[in-house]
Amino acid sequence: GQQLNQSPQSMFIQEGEDVSMNCTSSSIFNTWLWYKQDPGEGPVLLIALYKAGELTSNGRLTAQFGITRKDSFLNISASIPSDVGIYFCAGPRGAGNMLTFGGGTRLMVKP
Amino acid sequence: DAGITQSPRHKVTETGTPVTLRCHQTENHRYMYWYRQDPGHGLRLIHYSYGVKDTDKGEVSDGYSVSRSKTEDFLLTLESATSSQTSVYFCATLVGAYGYTFGSGTRLTVV
């Protein structure tokens, strides 16, 4: 079954607002990844986190790898309409470099 | 991503018929994956391949088979399509440790 829980499931915000979403797990992950899926496309990797406590930024995006290695959050500052999409967290499991994905957070931005 | 092509992009098929989805990559990546995306479930792994003729099951493999006779092609077959297999199917290749590159998806409807 699904091991990563994302919240919130959806968000509807005003352009310019900051956004925060998170991902939790009952299991420890040694790597956390955040992907974004634009409508009608496949997910694209945004940020990868490899160390507990790590804080990484990519433009207006900031992600942190939780100290317990069981959670991660993603923040988006000053949202713009092109931030619309579904954001997935993911972590590796098992052999074959397999990733397990969370259920996603759907972000909608009102201009 | 320009290096991964999925075909067809859309397909409607009848219950009980076999269906084959194709994933073609031009980057010579060793690992390839098939995921399905359903609302509330995120992305779930169906099968993956770690080389020519080397494949293994993911978490939702029942009713699906795969083949990889060439590095560049990874085929997903629904042996006898059912309505529960209506979904969006994504192929991915592995770049680096956990950096997946996804195709644009195939939307399959089983009626």
Side-chain angles (χ1 to χ4, degrees):
Chain A
Q2 192 168 291
Q3 296 178 276
L4 297 178
N5 300 302
Q6 288 189 246
S7 64
Q9 288 189 330
S10 63
M11 306 177 71
F12 190 39
I13 63 169
Q14 194 76 34
E15 182 178 0
E17 290 182 354
D18 296 342
V19 173
S20 184
M21 60 189 78
N22 73 342
C23 186
T24 61
S25 172
S26 57
S27 306
I28 287 174
F29 282 87
N30 292 316
T31 299
W32 286 87
L33 304 122
W34 285 93
Y35 283 80
K36 182 199 176 193
Q37 182 182 28
D38 289 328
E41 297 298 327
V44 172
L45 181 64
L46 296 174
I47 291 179
L49 302 159
Y50 299 105
K51 197 164 53 173
E54 179 181 357
L55 185 72
T56 297
S57 294
N58 179 5
R60 292 179 297 107
L61 277 59
T62 302
Q64 183 154 28
F65 191 148
I67 290 292
T68 64
R69 292 191 284 158
K70 292 185 177 181
D71 62 348
S72 176
F73 72 74
L74 176 70
N75 286 345
I76 305 173
S77 62
S79 59
I80 59 178
S82 62
D83 290 333
V84 164
I86 304 176
Y87 292 79
F88 292 103
C89 63
R93 65 170 182 89
N97 299 82
M98 290 187 287
L99 288 180
T100 190
F101 286 81
T105 292
R106 182 180 295 273
L107 179 64
M108 293 159 280
V109 179
K110 185 177 179 181
Chain B
D1 186 273
I4 300 178
T5 305
Q6 290 187 234
S7 59
R9 288 297 309 273
H10 302 273
K11 186 170 181 66
V12 179
T13 192
E14 292 186 350
T15 299
T17 60
V19 177
T20 294
L21 309 182
R22 180 178 184 242
C23 178
H24 179 79
Q25 58 132 335
T26 59
E27 306 295 325
N28 204 38
H29 294 305
R30 179 183 171 194
Y31 284 85
M32 299 183 75
Y33 307 83
W34 276 107
Y35 281 83
R36 60 178 288 175
Q37 182 178 17
D38 304 289
H41 291 276
L43 293 150
R44 292 179 293 174
L45 181 66
I46 305 171
H47 282 280
Y48 72 100
S49 170
Y50 48 98
V52 173
K53 293 186 172 29
D54 292 323
T55 65
D56 207 347
K57 296 179 180 180
E59 61 181 306
V60 290
S61 60
D62 286 349
Y64 301 95
S65 62
V66 290
S67 66
R68 189 152 177 220
S69 59
K70 300 184 287 186
T71 298
E72 56 266 36
D73 289 325
F74 192 31
L75 304 180
L76 176 71
T77 297
L78 287 66
E79 292 136 11
S80 177
T82 67
S83 58
S84 65
Q85 292 175 312
T86 292
S87 186
V88 182
Y89 291 86
F90 286 98
C91 173
T93 61
L94 178 65
V95 181
Y98 296 106
Y100 283 19
T101 298
F102 284 87
S104 296
T106 294
R107 183 174 295 276
L108 177 69
T109 303
V110 183
V111 298

